[in-house]
Amino acid sequence: MDCKYLKECGSCTLFTPYSEQISFKTDLIKQNFSPFYDGKFDVFSSSPKHYRTRAEFGIWHEGSKLSYTMHASEKGKKVFIDECPKVCEQISHLMPRLLESLQDDEVLRTKLFGVEFIACKSGTLVTLLYHKKLDGEFEAAMKILANKLDVMILARSRGQKLLSGELNLVDELNVDGQIYKFSLSENAFIQPNKAVNEKMIAWAKECVQGGADLLELYCGHGNFTIPLSFKFKNVLATEISKSSIANALKNCELNGAENIKFLRMDADELMSAFAGVREFNRLKDINLSDFNFSHVLVDPPRAGLSESVINFIRNFKNIIYISCNPETLKENLNELTKSHKVIKFALFDQFANTHHIECGVLLEAKDKF
Ligand SMILES: C[S@@+](CC[C@H](N)C(=O)[O-])C[C@H]1O[C@@H](n2cnc3c(N)ncnc32)[C@H](O)[C@@H]1O
């Protein structure tokens, strides 16, 4: 990638031409997962540049001059940057204009220590992070800046959150020619590479043949749930984040999905409920025996699946496992392949120029159901 901070900035860790990066990652995954699977690997590449629709930078002050910073490749150091080729064009164009405007305004500049960006179809959200109390003068300056740059601004300080106007974060995903709309939240998980995310959803849809009901754990705002729901009779989807669930409900309306029941619940608490160990008020309107789950989809955080989740999901014929951490995926497959076999394996390159690898695995029960 053509970047003037290459090797100095710690954000990228792979420096070979992109086609070599893909071969390296594919070989690594094939080798690591050969005890579980020796079939064809589906490999989904990314654009090596401008793929990130969300990004975070530190801010450095030198008098009235501001710089964006990233962690340097040398541990404990920072690197000053004025651009990042990985961020999408929408963020890339905004970065210098934002910095210039912040520099020119003492109220907005003072005690600013970080900037976050989320770019989507409805616009760009800029989150400004401060070490100071945000007063009326600040709020007025923030609104003027939002207007000038035509962005939404959210300013955060300890115990304070100010918005420049209505927060309207709606993105559109094109999955196999079908457009889905998603309302997003500024403080919950969002897949960072939109183009690869579209390919992941399409791959997960392809994994479903003859779906009865779907159980999904770690569903976020319904990124997989909504497109997949049209292949099932009923869907039960669970997630721990309150704001993600609020958006998931909006997203059902935005996409006309009427067969999904979303539940805000910790995955392990849900296991206790399923096992009848504990009763939960939130489950009082849901009769689990009404479902006939043919498929389970899990997309856990880096820690992977707990023992109780593994023992529960192996009761179902088809498991679609989306993983952002090959290490925990391997540990979990060690257990899951005692009852299931891997029948499809995919590599999604969500983070080009880094060692990060996202995988998709379809498992099918060895015993007949
Ligand atoms: C990798 S993200 C995937 C989200 C969603 N599938 C998507 O594609 O946007 C993992 C999700 O798990 C949720 N999560 C983390 N710990 C959890 C837990 N213990 N129980 C339930 N959900 C959890 C997070 O809030 C996050 O939304």
Side-chain angles (χ1 to χ4, degrees):
M1 187 175 57
D2 193 14
C3 173
K4 49 188 178 181
Y5 309 106
L6 213 63
K7 297 193 179 169
E8 196 194 338
C9 173
S11 169
C12 290
T13 55
L14 275 179
F15 311 117
T16 51
Y18 187 65
S19 58
E20 286 179 30
Q21 293 181 25
I22 284 290
S23 305
F24 165 75
K25 289 183 181 182
T26 308
D27 290 347
L28 195 73
I29 289 296
K30 277 185 179 169
Q31 205 176 11
N32 259 306
F33 289 91
S34 60
F36 308 109
Y37 183 70
D38 61 3
K40 174 180 153 285
F41 282 74
D42 301 323
V43 178
F44 298 91
S45 55
S46 168
S47 160
K49 282 172 91 170
H50 297 310
Y51 63 81
R52 282 198 71 113
T53 51
R54 61 180 308 171
E56 299 158 20
F57 301 99
I59 291 286
W60 184 261
H61 295 246
E62 208 180 316
S64 61
K65 187 177 177 302
L66 300 181
S67 305
Y68 291 111
T69 67
M70 279 297 293
H71 59 281
S73 47
E74 196 179 333
K75 219 175 167 198
K77 298 220 165 164
K78 287 183 201 308
V79 54
F80 299 142
I81 62 166
D82 56 19
E83 61 179 23
C84 171
K86 286 198 294 192
V87 301
C88 66
E89 310 268 6
Q90 207 170 315
I91 297 176
S92 187
H93 287 140
L94 179 63
M95 281 177 68
R97 292 166 60 224
L98 175 71
L99 204 69
E100 207 180 291
S101 301
L102 289 168
Q103 260 170 192
D104 291 346
D105 191 316
E106 197 185 341
V107 174
L108 296 175
R109 182 179 72 219
T110 307
K111 302 269 184 197
L112 173 68
F113 69 92
V115 179
E116 298 170 0
F117 297 92
I118 298 178
C120 61
K121 178 99 180 171
S122 64
T124 309
L125 173 70
V126 176
T127 301
L128 302 174
L129 307 169
Y130 287 92
H131 286 309
K132 69 173 178 183
K133 190 167 180 303
L134 308 174
D135 58 14
E137 189 189 11
F138 175 91
E139 190 168 2
M142 176 183 78
K143 286 185 175 169
I144 291 169
L145 179 62
N147 233 355
K148 179 179 158 193
L149 299 177
D150 192 21
V151 294
M152 297 165 264
I153 299 185
L154 172 66
R156 281 186 183 278
S157 181
R158 184 189 282 227
Q160 263 191 303
K161 178 175 156 179
L162 292 182
L163 256 172
S164 61
E166 196 198 340
L167 183 65
N168 173 29
L169 278 180
V170 178
D171 213 1
E172 282 184 11
L173 295 184
N174 181 334
V175 181
D176 291 335
Q178 175 82 40
I179 304 295
Y180 298 95
K181 288 187 178 182
F182 289 94
S183 169
L184 311 172
S185 150
E186 95 287 349
N187 60 355
F189 181 85
I190 304 173
Q191 299 282 359
N193 184 328
K194 179 172 167 174
V196 173
N197 184 29
E198 290 171 338
K199 295 177 191 177
M200 292 205 301
I201 300 169
W203 182 86
K205 277 181 77 181
E206 237 181 68
C207 288
V208 180
Q209 311 291 336
D213 294 341
L214 169 69
L215 171 66
E216 185 182 350
L217 309 178
Y218 316 96
C219 68
H221 57 250
N223 182 52
F224 289 98
T225 331
I226 305 244
L228 261 69
S229 67
F230 298 97
K231 298 198 98 176
F232 291 93
K233 197 162 165 263
N234 294 298
V235 180
L236 177 63
T238 71
E239 156 66 45
I240 202 167
S241 154
K242 200 171 175 179
S243 55
S244 291
I245 288 292
N247 277 310
L249 294 171
K250 278 189 211 160
N251 293 333
C252 282
E253 279 183 32
L254 285 175
N255 295 284
E258 292 175 346
N259 58 345
I260 311 172
K261 188 90 200 162
F262 282 105
L263 195 60
R264 188 179 76 77
M265 209 153 184
D266 171 89
D268 283 314
E269 282 184 349
L270 185 72
M271 296 307 107
S272 306
F274 277 133
V277 176
R278 269 183 73 186
E279 277 190 18
F280 291 88
N281 215 16
R282 272 169 282 164
L283 274 167
K284 71 178 182 334
D285 299 327
I286 297 174
N287 194 351
L288 295 173
S289 57
D290 287 349
F291 290 92
N292 172 24
F293 297 122
S294 56
H295 291 71
V296 179
L297 189 153
V298 289
D299 180 12
R302 290 186 63 78
L305 305 175
S306 67
E307 197 184 332
S308 64
V309 171
I310 290 176
N311 285 334
F312 177 73
I313 65 173
R314 63 155 46 109
N315 290 313
F316 303 99
K317 185 175 177 191
N318 304 289
I319 301 170
I320 304 167
Y321 189 148
I322 306 290
S323 160
C324 56
N325 184 352
E327 264 178 49
T328 52
L329 174 64
K330 198 170 174 182
E331 283 166 24
N332 293 166
L333 286 185
N334 263 328
E335 287 307 311
L336 283 168
T337 50
K338 289 175 184 164
S339 52
H340 286 63
K341 62 176 187 294
V342 176
I343 56 167
K344 244 164 121 58
F345 208 118
L347 186 161
F348 305 103
D349 196 25
Q350 283 253 34
F351 298 91
N353 314 307
T354 77
H355 282 79
H356 185 99
I357 303 176
E358 187 104 6
C359 296
V361 182
L362 173 65
L363 295 119
E364 192 183 69
K366 289 176 184 170
D367 292 334
K368 285 237 171 326
F369 264 67

